[in-house]
Amino acid sequence: MDMLHKFWAAWKRFGQFMGDFIGRLVLTIFYFTIFLPFGAGMRLFSDKLDTKRQIQPGWQSRKTSDLTIEDSRRQA
């Protein structure tokens, strides 16, 4: 029975080692094949602050119908 416990403990250590190794390998491959190119593309081709597009700067004109004080008091 003692030999079975030693085998089981060694098997768990081996499994932990292989799990850590495979996990690191898979995540490294994922990073360099999917995540890194996507991030580089987003950094090169995106404009998060919308600085490249030139729209009319300044205020937009407001159309109003309350030209008198009576119109302003009647808020509907």
Side-chain angles (χ1 to χ4, degrees), residues 4-14:
L4 188 60
H5 286 291
K6 287 182 182 178
F7 175 74
W8 181 246
W11 182 253
K12 288 195 302 186
R13 281 194 308 269
F14 175 74

Side-chain angles (χ1 to χ4, degrees), residues 17-57:
F17 170 76
M18 286 304 291
D20 290 342
F21 178 74
I22 296 294
R24 285 186 182 134
L25 182 68
V26 167
L27 287 176
T28 302
I29 290 171
F30 173 77
Y31 179 78
F32 284 109
T33 59
I34 296 172
F35 193 67
L36 185 77
F38 178 77
M42 289 300 292
R43 180 164 293 222
L44 291 174
F45 299 116
S46 71
D47 185 23
K48 291 184 179 100
L49 296 177
D50 202 21
T51 56
K52 293 180 184 173
R53 187 172 57 149
Q54 296 296 326
I55 306 176
Q56 299 173 345

Side-chain angles (χ1 to χ4, degrees), residues 52-64:
K52 293 180 184 173
R53 187 172 57 149
Q54 296 296 326
I55 306 176
Q56 299 173 345
W59 296 87
Q60 295 180 357
S61 62
R62 178 177 177 261
K63 295 172 180 51
T64 181

Side-chain angles (χ1 to χ4, degrees), residues 61-75:
S61 62
R62 178 177 177 261
K63 295 172 180 51
T64 181
S65 62
D66 54 349
L67 300 176
T68 64
I69 293 213
E70 289 302 319
D71 291 338
S72 297
R73 288 184 183 151
R74 220 176 345 118
Q75 296 180 7

